[in-house]
Amino acid sequence: MEKLFKKTFAILALLVLTAFTIPTTVYICLSPGGKKYHYDRGCRGLNNCTHEIKAVSKGDAEGRGLDLCGWED
Ligand SMILES: [Zn+2]
């Protein structure tokens, strides 16, 4: 019985860990002047984007020196 408990606990721990390590997808406008990333693909900050809109991980966006959009903070 204890063995089953440990196995269940290990699976639960793994699930929690996985949930926290899944990268958040954000959207960025690939314009040269783009300095923001957006959680919402339909954000009004992205409506102005005349370039390609790309989905990247939040870490990737921050690595590009982008900040969270002013409409979504
Ligand atoms: Zn936005």
Side-chain angles (χ1 to χ4, degrees), residues 2-70:
E2 193 192 340
K3 203 173 180 180
L4 181 68
F5 175 76
K6 278 183 180 168
K7 197 176 177 185
T8 307
F9 182 78
I11 291 172
L12 279 176
L14 193 71
L15 282 176
V16 170
L17 211 65
T18 309
F20 276 109
T21 50
I22 290 176
T24 307
T25 300
V26 298
Y27 299 93
I28 61 172
C29 178
L30 295 181
S31 77
K35 295 202 166 19
K36 305 289 182 187
Y37 62 82
H38 310 260
Y39 288 123
D40 184 358
R41 176 68 177 72
C43 173
R44 60 170 122 175
L46 273 176
N47 286 342
N48 300 327
C49 181
T50 53
H51 293 67
E52 189 186 339
I53 293 170
K54 192 182 179 198
V56 299
S57 71
K58 189 182 172 191
D60 188 4
E62 286 175 341
R64 293 168 187 247
L66 302 175
D67 292 315
L68 176 61
C69 159

